[in-house]
Amino acid sequence: MRIIILLIVLTLSACDLISSSSNITGSWKSEVDNGTMIFHQNGTFELLDKDGVSLFDIKSGVKATWETITEVTPNQLYVKIETKDGFEKIPLGIYKISKSKLIIREPKTFYNTIGGISLGVSRYEMAKDFSGVLSVYTRI
């Protein structure tokens, strides 16, 4: 009996009827601006505008990779931008996948300022839940 149950679970998993909440690999199209995010299996990341043009120019030496942290709830999503001068790890926010939809809530960004003049980002604060403004992407 256990073998039959195991075979059913394996079959459903192979058919993607049982979805993983952290299976972010693939292409996701924005429901608002028609941009597309592509999370490749090898860890690279592409961000395409509505015309399909990549926002990261490989010729200029810019490389983008993605990382998820699934050990925390809600799961967190980061993009690491590498250039010849170094790298920066940028949080995209918390995320969940529900019914072929990728739902992201962006982090709150804090800036250093002097006299109203921005000196850049000082820190990010991840949201604790999905209340508020959400970005929704559909798997393509």
Side-chain angles (χ1 to χ4, degrees), residues 24 26-40 42-58 62-66 77-81 90-92 102 104 106 135-138 140:
I24 199 166
S27 299
W28 300 89
K29 187 172 186 102
S30 171
E31 293 187 346
V32 176
D33 64 8
N34 294 324
T36 303
M37 293 191 299
I38 304 172
F39 300 92
H40 294 281
N42 66 1
T44 58
F45 174 75
E46 288 184 76
L47 185 59
L48 308 176
D49 65 12
K50 64 180 179 179
D51 298 322
V53 177
S54 178
L55 300 180
F56 301 114
D57 184 13
I58 296 174
V62 176
K63 179 182 173 187
T65 57
W66 61 273
L77 177 61
Y78 293 85
V79 172
K80 183 178 176 182
I81 309 295
I90 303 168
L92 290 182
L102 171 62
I104 299 175
E106 295 179 8
S135 298
V136 180
Y137 297 83
T138 304
I140 54 174

Side-chain angles (χ1 to χ4, degrees), residues 16 19-25 27-32 37 39 75 77 94-105 130 134-140:
D16 200 27
S19 63
S20 168
S21 65
S22 62
N23 185 13
I24 199 166
T25 56
S27 299
W28 300 89
K29 187 172 186 102
S30 171
E31 293 187 346
V32 176
M37 293 191 299
F39 300 92
N75 295 337
L77 177 61
I94 59 172
Y95 79 98
K96 64 181 176 179
I97 298 173
S98 177
K99 299 179 183 177
S100 296
K101 303 275 185 189
L102 171 62
I103 302 163
I104 299 175
R105 181 165 180 214
F130 289 94
L134 302 174
S135 298
V136 180
Y137 297 83
T138 304
R139 188 182 292 272
I140 54 174

